Amino acid sequence: MATYRYRCFKLVFSGSIRRKFSNQVSQLPSETTAPPLFPGAKTTWTEQLTFTGKDSYDPIPVYRVMDEQGRIIEESENPNLPDDIIVRMYEKMLYVSVMDKILYESQRQGRISFYMTNSGEEATQIGSAAALNISDVIYGQYREVGVLVWRGFSLQNISDQCYGNSDDVGLGKQMPVHYGSKQLNFVTISSPLTTQMPQAAGAAYALKGTNRVVMCYFGDGAASEGDAHAGFNFAATLDCPVIFFCRNNGFAISTPTDEQYRGDGIAARGPSYGINSIRVDGNDVFAVYNATKFAKSYCLKENKPVIIEAMTYRVGHHSTSDDSTAYRSAEEIKSWSSESPIYKLQTHMKERNLWNEEKEQQTLEQAKKDVLKAFYAAEAKLKPKWTEMFGGVYATMPKHLQKQMNEMKLHVEKYKEHYPLNKFAKE
Amino acid sequence: MALNKTANEICSLCSKKFLGILNGISKRNSHFIYKPDTNLPIQGKTEKLNMFQAINNALDITLKTDKTAMIFGEDVGFGGVFRCTVGLRDKYGKERIFNTPLSEQGIAGFAIGVANMGSTAIAEMQFADYIFPAFDQIVNEAAKMRYRSAGQYDCGKLTIRAPTMAVGHGALYHSQSPESYFAHTPGLKVVIPSTAVKAKGLLLSCIRDPNPCIFFEPKILYRSASEQVPLDDYELPLGKADVLTEGTDITLIGWGTQVHVLLEVAKLAQEKFKVSCEVIDLVSILPWDSETIFKSAKKTKRVIIAHEAPLTCGFGAELATSIQEECFLNLEAPVTRVTGFDTPFPHIFEPFYLPNKWRCLDAIEKIMNY
């Protein structure tokens, strides 16, 4: 199986590309000419004036394990995960989708300030997370909550963060969905896109030789930032064991991919940085799992980076501040809903008698109950004490900040009726 | 940006020549006279070192004592375009002292990641003028990481070093003093040494401080600052200003190269006007030492702040406002700023641009007659 996969890999990364180039090269009188000695590239001469373009090689194919009906296409590619792991993967995906629906609605009712759903991308999150160890460090963008869920971040942790209450490990400092957990090796999310990519390369460099890899998630839009270029290039030149995992869901807010790039997606950029790349069906949880597992073992063995581009579709709106029907049709969204990764895995499981309609209903009911319970508990909790606003700017509070805090304390005492003190924990 | 990069590359290629010219000019007609630091922070063996050698010595000590420490940036491998990392790769290996691709945002981001994992990251920006591509990583990421995660993650083990300030002929992109851009960013520490002795002690403090620090090195001092520097390990406190000369009539505040201008101005003021100047090296821009500054302002009742950076929103503005708020009843004259002008840093007009001793002296005369 491993050999087969390696062959696949080779075909995608070197085979089709080299074949095309070597066709050109073979026409050259190379035996009579010494190769070029320029330090900038190891290559050959040509006397033909031609461009190398997007059409010089085939697009990178999408690796899949299951077909639309959830049937394994090549038995040799079946990861053969134990039944309980498959069921767990499915349940986590279902939980994420139920949680999304409830938290999305709660934002619509004004109960939390903001939310971002994961609809359609649950398999990219769960499939990749399942292929890693908890000691592997995650840098995310913001649409990866399933990774945290897989690692054990509870519905209560999630609800507490979205409410910014006193049990939020982030102490209510960031917007909802900006999760983080040192315990689970998930570096706290920040809003500026792509900043995490060169950081992930640096973290991977620091972790070299510890048998851990760094996983860095980002979207197709984020890949246009300068930091993506920096991250790829640093990871390649400094030999960093990092997996760059692109969620290519077709949109960056309203911007479709044909306004984002004109090459063959994100995966095709990999080889130009000297990074092996792979493109997978992001709606196929087994394909994502296999690719991540494969990438991780390569990273560890070679101390080199990998790019995985998971092709998927952002079924939900970009965020609660966005109505996506303003730039795409409801029919288009609907057609992808039926292609959903959850549906695909469910069909697969039903066929193997791992799942049935009864279990589905039970799990849905339980998930709803659990989410609502966590949600109401989070809503009832007090916010952290307001002076936490001044904490953690530095390792220890400098004098000028101490002074500002003391001034504010006096002011709040004087004008207390104008501040929402009853919602915050007491000093 | 493309031009930036070109200039950057040219500099690294012709650095030796560049330094040669730099050295020559600073000896022939620099705008200041370097006053060696005789205030030794520790006893023990010393050696005459200039600022780049003192920095190299601090980095050497760090690499020796902290096995997680690594140094990286553009061209640091062969010793750096200003020789600050010379010999370190041979001594500690290329896994710990290495060149990065030419990308400042990449260097800063990579450094944050290294520091996230608990390793000591010492990143170099080749010139402070080229730190701006990394502005997002420094301001939005490094500075806010501890705060936004409520202490779960931080990059306290990060130090960014960058050559700064005028050099005689550096023009727009080899002369800038960008400290006030960073002074507006909670979460960072910003430090600028004025002597070789201070450079070593402050850099070691920055590297070991549990907060991300930016260490701006006045590049004109790399070779011109030279004195006996203790060879042992020592640290100098961050956030602490240094009263260099005590005086009674007026307080002069500066940092980096400007400190040496002010020391000379103090002498001139004494000779010409019989005015006793108290000269303070601010040392730390963020957090800055308000206690020392206010104490001096209350005593002398007159303050001049001088910096190479442009006037508007320069760090002098923060100092002037704070002094005015805290020392209002003590002041006998308006707090005055002598600074670079609100123009880009020019090439051939540099002698007219800098807040040199004559402009500072002129300001003292006006303030004393106020």
Side-chain angles (χ1 to χ4, degrees):
Chain A
M1 195 172 72
T3 329
Y4 182 85
R5 255 192 242 143
Y6 179 65
R7 256 185 22 230
C8 246
F9 189 75
K10 232 178 139 179
L11 210 81
V12 174
F13 307 126
S14 47
S16 62
I17 294 168
R18 286 229 183 103
R19 201 168 52 239
K20 287 276 178 161
F21 280 122
S22 62
N23 283 346
Q24 294 176 7
V25 170
S26 67
Q27 296 160 7
L28 300 174
S30 53
E31 277 151 31
T32 57
T33 317
L37 294 174
F38 307 111
K42 285 186 186 66
T43 182
T44 53
W45 300 105
T46 179
E47 284 70 40
Q48 286 179 354
L49 187 62
T50 51
F51 285 126
T52 298
K54 193 183 169 185
D55 301 328
S56 304
Y57 40 84
D58 302 331
I60 296 174
V62 183
Y63 169 79
R64 61 176 179 168
V65 174
M66 287 186 281
D67 66 12
E68 292 82 352
Q69 272 72 49
R71 284 180 300 237
I72 304 285
I73 302 164
E74 289 274 355
E75 195 44 46
S76 60
E77 291 301 297
N78 188 347
N80 288 315
L81 291 166
D83 291 350
D84 62 317
I85 297 286
I86 297 175
V87 171
R88 200 167 135 221
M89 283 172 137
Y90 182 75
E91 284 176 348
K92 295 289 181 196
M93 283 161 66
L94 211 58
Y95 260 75
V96 168
S97 86
V98 169
M99 181 189 82
D100 271 353
K101 281 194 191 85
I102 293 172
L103 291 189
Y104 182 84
E105 284 310 318
S106 78
Q107 193 283 333
R108 286 345 234 173
Q109 297 166 11
R111 298 167 89 157
I112 57 174
S113 65
F114 179 78
Y115 195 70
M116 298 178 106
T117 64
N118 303 274
S119 319
E121 301 180 45
E122 296 91 345
T124 63
Q125 304 172 3
I126 300 295
S128 57
L132 298 172
N133 287 345
I134 201 157
S135 60
D136 296 324
V137 175
I138 310 284
Y139 282 81
Q141 180 166 307
Y142 48 59
R143 214 182 293 282
E144 293 93 9
V145 77
V147 178
L148 270 164
V149 168
W150 182 261
R151 290 190 165 205
F153 205 64
S154 69
L155 291 169
Q156 197 59 60
N157 294 146
I158 289 165
S159 305
D160 288 342
Q161 197 283 331
C162 288
Y163 268 103
N165 64 34
S166 51
D167 283 343
D168 168 23
V169 288
L171 291 173
K173 287 177 178 177
Q174 292 211 87
M175 284 173 80
V177 314
H178 290 54
Y179 312 110
S181 171
K182 179 94 178 176
Q183 206 188 340
L184 302 176
N185 280 314
F186 191 103
V187 180
T188 306
I189 299 289
S190 74
S191 306
L193 288 181
T194 329
T195 47
Q196 78 277 18
M197 289 179 68
Q199 293 170 10
Y205 188 91
L207 292 181
K208 252 196 244 188
T210 61
N211 210 33
R212 298 162 75 187
V213 296
V214 173
M215 177 67 138
C216 178
Y217 295 92
F218 59 103
D220 53 270
S224 295
E225 292 279 4
D227 274 332
H229 166 61
F232 290 148
N233 201 28
F234 275 57
T237 57
L238 298 169
D239 297 323
C240 305
V242 54
I243 305 170
F244 290 113
F245 191 106
C246 179
R247 296 174 292 95
N248 190 334
N249 63 18
F251 291 91
I253 307 187
S254 72
T255 305
T257 48
D258 71 340
E259 292 171 22
Q260 198 63 250
Y261 54 75
R262 286 294 164 92
D264 176 27
I266 310 305
R269 295 178 198 171
S272 70
Y273 287 100
I275 301 177
N276 281 340
S277 304
I278 194 163
R279 176 176 276 160
V280 300
D281 177 2
N283 292 350
D284 177 341
V285 74
F286 295 146
V288 174
Y289 176 88
N290 279 352
T292 308
K293 198 110 186 146
F294 184 48
K296 182 181 165 174
S297 66
Y298 170 83
C299 280
L300 287 179
K301 194 162 159 258
E302 306 288 336
N303 265 330
K304 284 192 166 81
V306 172
I307 295 174
I308 298 175
E309 182 182 27
M311 309 309 289
T312 178
Y313 187 87
R314 196 194 76 213
V315 176
H317 301 303
H318 163 69
S319 73
T320 48
S321 310
D322 172 51
D323 173 10
S324 66
T325 56
Y327 49 82
R328 57 182 190 179
S329 71
E331 290 79 53
E332 182 186 310
I333 301 171
K334 205 169 161 227
S335 74
W336 281 98
S337 305
S338 60
E339 298 273 320
S340 90
I342 293 181
Y343 178 76
K344 194 179 273 189
L345 184 58
Q346 189 196 99
T347 324
H348 172 86
M349 288 162 70
K350 279 181 177 167
E351 197 153 300
R352 292 180 50 193
N353 286 324
L354 295 174
W355 203 249
N356 54 41
E357 213 35 56
E358 197 189 336
K359 279 187 186 167
E360 177 78 8
Q361 286 315 314
Q362 270 176 9
T363 313
L364 276 175
E365 284 307 310
Q366 192 59 46
K368 264 184 217 162
K369 253 190 237 169
D370 292 350
V371 173
L372 284 172
K373 192 178 158 209
F375 180 78
Y376 289 132
E379 197 168 47
K381 290 176 194 176
L382 286 174
K383 310 291 181 205
K385 48 185 186 182
W386 68 266
T387 47
E388 290 291 354
M389 176 170 80
F390 293 94
V393 181
Y394 293 90
T396 51
M397 195 183 291
K399 276 185 205 153
H400 70 281
L401 214 43
Q402 191 90 46
K403 183 169 169 246
Q404 290 168 28
M405 184 174 77
N406 291 340
E407 281 169 6
M408 187 61 184
K409 274 184 185 169
L410 292 175
H411 166 79
V412 170
E413 182 53 33
K414 189 171 165 194
Y415 284 84
K416 48 179 165 295
E417 66 274 26
H418 302 292
Y419 291 91
L421 286 173
N422 59 339
K423 291 188 178 142
F424 289 78
K426 294 237 175 329
E427 280 300 300
Chain B
M1 181 61 103
L3 282 173
N4 256 9
K5 294 291 178 190
T6 314
N8 206 347
E9 276 177 318
I10 289 166
C11 274
S12 27
L13 290 171
C14 66
S15 61
K16 277 188 185 161
K17 198 171 159 193
F18 180 78
L19 274 169
I21 295 164
L22 181 164
N23 219 7
I25 283 191
S26 60
K27 272 178 190 153
R28 277 201 307 277
N29 53 4
S30 90
H31 66 287
F32 69 99
I33 296 166
Y34 181 76
K35 186 170 180 298
D37 198 337
T38 51
N39 188 14
L40 293 186
I42 53 163
Q43 302 295 311
K45 207 176 152 207
T46 64
E47 193 180 322
K48 191 163 186 196
L49 301 178
N50 61 28
M51 190 181 278
F52 88 66
Q53 291 165 330
I55 287 165
N56 183 280
N57 184 240
L59 296 173
D60 191 2
I61 288 172
T62 301
L63 291 160
K64 192 159 42 187
T65 53
D66 176 356
K67 298 295 174 209
T68 73
M70 51 186 102
I71 298 172
F72 46 88
E74 295 156 12
D75 307 299
V76 302
F78 85 114
V81 300
F82 289 111
R83 318 313 293 149
C84 291
T85 53
V86 85
L88 298 176
R89 185 172 61 183
D90 290 342
K91 205 164 166 185
Y92 298 101
K94 64 177 173 36
E95 297 296 313
R96 297 182 70 194
I97 294 92
F98 50 91
N99 293 335
T100 63
L102 206 164
S103 165
E104 285 75 16
Q105 65 194 96
I107 294 169
F110 186 89
I112 291 169
V114 168
N116 282 162
M117 296 300 111
S119 294
T120 299
I122 303 162
E124 179 179 304
M125 300 285 160
Q126 203 158 69
F127 286 85
D129 312 66
Y130 305 127
I131 203 170
F132 300 112
F135 201 69
D136 183 42
Q137 285 285 356
I138 296 170
V139 171
N140 274 332
E141 294 293 315
K144 297 172 175 48
M145 197 162 256
R146 185 193 307 274
Y147 186 79
R148 73 167 182 240
S149 68
Q152 290 199 88
Y153 283 94
D154 67 69
C155 52
K157 284 178 170 279
L158 164 66
T159 302
I160 295 174
R161 297 176 38 242
T164 189
M165 294 189 168
V167 69
H169 56 290
L172 287 80
Y173 307 112
H174 299 83
S175 309
Q176 291 182 59
S177 301
E179 62 270 12
S180 67
Y181 288 104
F182 297 99
H184 198 55
T185 306
L188 297 178
K189 291 197 175 181
V190 182
V191 179
I192 309 179
S194 60
T195 68
V197 168
K198 281 183 182 169
K200 178 178 169 181
L202 290 166
L203 179 55
L204 281 167
S205 295
C206 280
I207 291 168
R208 291 159 182 173
D209 189 86
N211 298 287
C213 296
I214 304 180
F215 190 72
F216 285 122
E217 301 161 1
K219 65 181 98 59
I220 204 166
L221 300 181
Y222 276 140
R223 284 174 187 244
S224 58
S226 184
E227 66 236 359
Q228 291 295 322
V229 177
L231 292 178
D232 288 338
D233 195 334
Y234 65 91
E235 293 174 29
L236 290 170
L238 305 183
K240 188 92 192 70
D242 191 5
V243 181
L244 298 175
T245 317
E246 295 208 16
T248 52
D249 300 329
I250 189 163
T251 299
L252 307 180
I253 306 168
W255 51 90
T257 318
Q258 194 64 21
V259 162
H260 301 284
V261 175
L262 294 179
L263 286 169
E264 201 184 339
V265 168
K267 238 191 232 167
L268 283 172
Q270 185 66 50
E271 286 163 18
K272 285 188 186 287
F273 316 132
K274 300 269 175 284
V275 168
S276 160
C277 298
E278 181 145 306
V279 181
I280 299 180
D281 178 358
L282 189 65
V283 181
S284 284
I285 306 297
L286 184 71
W288 60 280
D289 183 359
S290 55
E291 216 171 294
T292 302
I293 299 298
F294 295 156
K295 193 177 152 206
S296 176
K298 282 176 183 167
K299 180 177 79 175
T300 63
K301 306 181 193 326
R302 293 173 186 86
V303 181
I304 288 176
I305 303 145
H307 57 66
E308 289 185 14
L311 177 77
T312 302
C313 287
F315 198 65
E318 179 59 34
L319 293 175
T321 312
S322 303
I323 293 165
Q324 180 272 130
E325 280 176 351
E326 197 67 27
C327 314
F328 186 71
L329 293 175
N330 306 81
L331 293 173
E332 298 279 357
V335 178
T336 297
R337 292 171 287 163
V338 186
T339 70
F341 296 106
D342 287 340
T343 68
F345 198 109
H347 186 219
I348 55 164
F349 309 118
E350 181 171 321
F352 299 91
Y353 175 89
L354 285 174
N356 63 16
K357 59 186 170 189
W358 305 117
R359 283 181 59 206
C360 292
L361 194 69
D362 198 12
I364 291 177
E365 194 178 1
K366 281 176 187 153
I367 289 299
M368 293 312 295
N369 294 328
Y370 186 81

